[in-house]
Amino acid sequence: MPLLLLRFAVHRERSPEARGIATLGALLLAAPNLCTLAVVVGRGGGARAGRTVMDVKTPMFRGATLAGVIVAVVLFAALLWLMSTRRRGTGASHRRARST
C-alpha cells in the first residue's frame, strides 16, 4: 500500500495537497516496517535490546518482514508493468480502430 500511495503522489496531474496527503499516508503505512528497519540496522543500545527481544520472542519476525517487503516490491513492479503495457496496448488498438 505505501508504494501505491507514493505512485499516486508522484503523478504530476495531482494537486499539491493530494500529493502531500498521499505522501503522508504512505509514510504512515510504512511506519511499522521503518521501525523494524531501524531496530535491525541500528547501532545503539535500544536497537541492540530490540534485536534481542525479537530473537527471543519472535525469532522469525525479521525474516518474515523481509519476505513481505520483497513480495510487495515484486507485486508493485508487476502492477506498474501491467499498467504500462495496458496503456500502450490501448493506445495502439485505439489508433488501429480509428484508421479503419
Side-chain angles (χ1 to χ4, degrees):
M1 285 301 289
L3 293 175
L4 289 174
L5 276 176
L6 276 179
R7 171 76 171 101
F8 177 82
V10 298
H11 237 305
R12 293 175 196 246
E13 300 165 358
R14 309 280 185 233
S15 70
E17 293 85 15
R19 292 166 71 178
I21 290 171
T23 302
L24 182 63
L27 286 173
L28 286 174
L29 286 174
N33 287 337
L34 295 174
C35 289
T36 302
L37 180 66
V39 168
V40 170
V41 299
R43 296 177 187 253
R48 198 170 300 123
R51 278 192 301 274
T52 303
V53 169
M54 280 189 203
D55 288 341
V56 172
K57 295 193 180 231
T58 57
M60 295 299 292
F61 182 75
R62 290 187 286 174
T65 300
L66 177 63
V69 168
I70 291 170
V71 167
V73 168
V74 168
L75 287 175
F76 179 71
L79 181 67
L80 286 181
W81 178 78
L82 235 113
M83 287 177 10
S84 70
T85 58
R86 184 173 177 111
R87 241 184 257 131
R88 278 186 274 161
T90 302
S93 64
H94 183 63
R95 282 190 298 269
R96 258 187 263 126
R98 287 173 62 195
S99 66
T100 58

